[in-house]
């Protein structure tokens, strides 16, 4: 979700059987929760990250459900230093409970962040973690996204956490540069169709993030997409695929054999 648009994606599922009938129709309602494709898998290799506790600090915690206050004090503040030199802050609201509860939540994000393409992880500033259950959202200019503790657990249960982190990270790291760029607009126009209904509804705010997940998997792990989805991606978004090839085709840092320092909290 992009904060520019508060639209919640409808959860109606789309039958694959209907896809062949209408060539230019979106394949799914949305990319993350309206299908059972495991685009990114929790056992995929991740750039190792070292989680460190920076104590309790005052931070800007956008997205609080119970207050309009932007600033919060006593925020459990962590930082992950990744082996490719990228660093991502994890700011956990004190309402989640104890420091141990906060560390547990922060630790859940280390792996998914380590599995992002380097180009995205290196641009991500921080993640805000709130208590409660709400859909994640991102701020494209602030280069951060926010998740909610109960929703995080739900997404883990449905194997959608990796995809949620990826989707929000696209907003937080690629939207500002690309979502309204001439290159992206040309690709959208050349394709003339959308991969999900959510992307079609919000072409400026959501199409890049929705399309990115399909493109990333198509380029890195095409075998994870059912054959009819591969054909759908090739039919609906060939120009966007070329666009993403230049972004996701960048070489990943070689961190083979790099072990996190021993004083890390996680992993
Ligand atoms: Zn989005």
């Amino acid at each position: 979700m992009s904060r520019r648009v508060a639209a919640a994606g409808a959860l109606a599922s789309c039958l694959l059987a209907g896809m062949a009938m209408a060539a230019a129709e979106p394949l799914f309602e949305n990319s993350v929760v309206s299908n059972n494709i495991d685009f990114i898998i929790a056992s995929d290799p991740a750039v190792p990250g070292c989680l460190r506790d920076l104590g309790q600090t005052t931070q800007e915690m956008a997205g609080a459900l119970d207050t309009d206050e932007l600033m919060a004090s006593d925020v459990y503040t962590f930082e992950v230093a990744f082996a490719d030199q990228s660093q991502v802050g994890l700011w956990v609201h004190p309402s989640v409970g104890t420091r141990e509860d906060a560390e547990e939540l922060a630790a859940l994000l280390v792996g998914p962040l380590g599995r992002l393409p380097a180009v995205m992880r290196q641009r991500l500033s921080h993640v805000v973690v709130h208590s409660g259950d709400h859909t994640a959202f991102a701020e494209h200019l602030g280069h951060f996204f926010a998740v909610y503790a109960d929703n995080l657990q739900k997404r883990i249960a449905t194997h959608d956490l990796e995809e949620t982190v990826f989707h929000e990270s696209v907003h937080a790291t690629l939207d500002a540069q690309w979502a309204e760029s001439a290159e992206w607009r040309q690709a959208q126009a050349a394709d003339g169709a959308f991969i999900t209904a959510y992307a079609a509804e919000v072409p400026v705010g959501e199409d890049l993030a929705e399309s990115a997940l399909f493109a990333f998997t198509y380029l890195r792990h095409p075998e994870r997409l059912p054959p009819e989805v591969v054909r759908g991606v090739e039919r609906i978004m060939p120009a966007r695929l070329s666009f993403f090839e230049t972004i996701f085709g960048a070489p990943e840092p070689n961190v083979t054999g790099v072990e996190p320092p021993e004083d890390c909290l996680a992993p």
Side-chain angles (χ1 to χ4, degrees):
M1 203 166 135
S2 161
R3 212 156 184 239
R4 276 178 281 182
V5 199
L11 300 183
S13 62
C14 169
L15 291 175
L16 289 179
M19 285 163 33
M21 311 283 288
E25 288 301 308
L27 300 191
F28 300 103
E29 196 59 38
N30 56 59
S31 62
V32 176
V33 296
S34 75
N35 61 70
N36 287 322
I37 300 170
D38 263 335
F39 295 90
I40 306 166
I41 299 174
S43 57
D44 284 347
V47 172
C50 177
L51 182 68
R52 287 208 173 93
D53 187 346
L54 304 185
Q56 287 182 272
T57 63
T58 297
Q59 299 290 358
E60 192 176 300
M61 299 289 282
L65 299 177
D66 56 350
T67 171
D68 291 335
E69 285 288 323
L70 203 52
M71 303 304 290
S73 52
D74 299 323
V75 172
Y76 297 114
T77 308
F78 300 88
E79 183 181 72
V80 195
F82 288 96
D84 64 354
Q85 310 301 321
S86 55
Q87 296 182 346
V88 179
L90 298 177
W91 303 350
V92 187
H93 196 277
S95 61
V96 303
T98 65
R99 190 208 152 277
E100 285 67 34
D101 296 329
E103 182 185 324
E104 217 168 283
L105 286 162
L108 292 174
L109 293 164
V110 176
L113 293 173
R115 277 181 278 281
L116 291 175
V119 64
M120 287 163 59
R121 186 174 45 257
Q122 283 159 0
R123 289 184 197 181
L124 185 63
S125 164
H126 59 278
V127 183
V128 166
V129 182
H130 282 290
S131 56
D133 185 10
H134 193 273
T135 309
F137 70 85
E139 285 277 2
H140 67 296
L141 295 179
H143 302 301
F144 73 89
F145 67 89
V147 292
Y148 296 79
D150 295 347
N151 192 257
L152 210 63
Q153 301 293 354
K154 280 187 192 170
R155 296 289 169 107
I156 290 172
T158 57
H159 302 279
D160 288 330
L161 178 64
E162 304 281 339
E163 289 83 353
T164 299
V165 167
F166 184 95
H167 178 102
E168 300 306 334
S169 294
V170 172
H171 285 313
T173 66
L174 300 182
D175 270 6
Q177 183 178 0
W178 296 113
E180 296 182 63
S181 69
E183 292 92 331
W184 177 247
R185 285 175 179 277
Q186 279 159 15
Q188 285 179 308
D191 289 340
F194 292 90
I195 198 71
T196 68
Y198 190 29
E201 278 162 31
V202 195
V204 176
E206 293 296 339
D207 185 32
L208 190 88
E210 288 288 273
S211 300
L213 187 56
F214 285 92
F216 180 69
T217 308
Y218 179 92
L219 296 168
R220 299 273 177 97
H221 298 284
E223 75 285 354
R224 291 181 186 169
L225 300 176
E228 62 273 23
V229 173
V230 169
R231 286 195 294 274
V233 166
E234 289 168 349
R235 187 178 66 238
I236 290 173
M237 47 180 282
R240 290 185 188 80
L241 279 178
S242 303
F243 171 89
F244 282 115
E245 252 183 296
T246 62
I247 293 180
F248 297 145
E252 291 293 321
N254 182 2
V255 292
T256 318
V258 178
E259 293 293 330
E262 280 180 7
D263 62 339
C264 306
L265 299 169

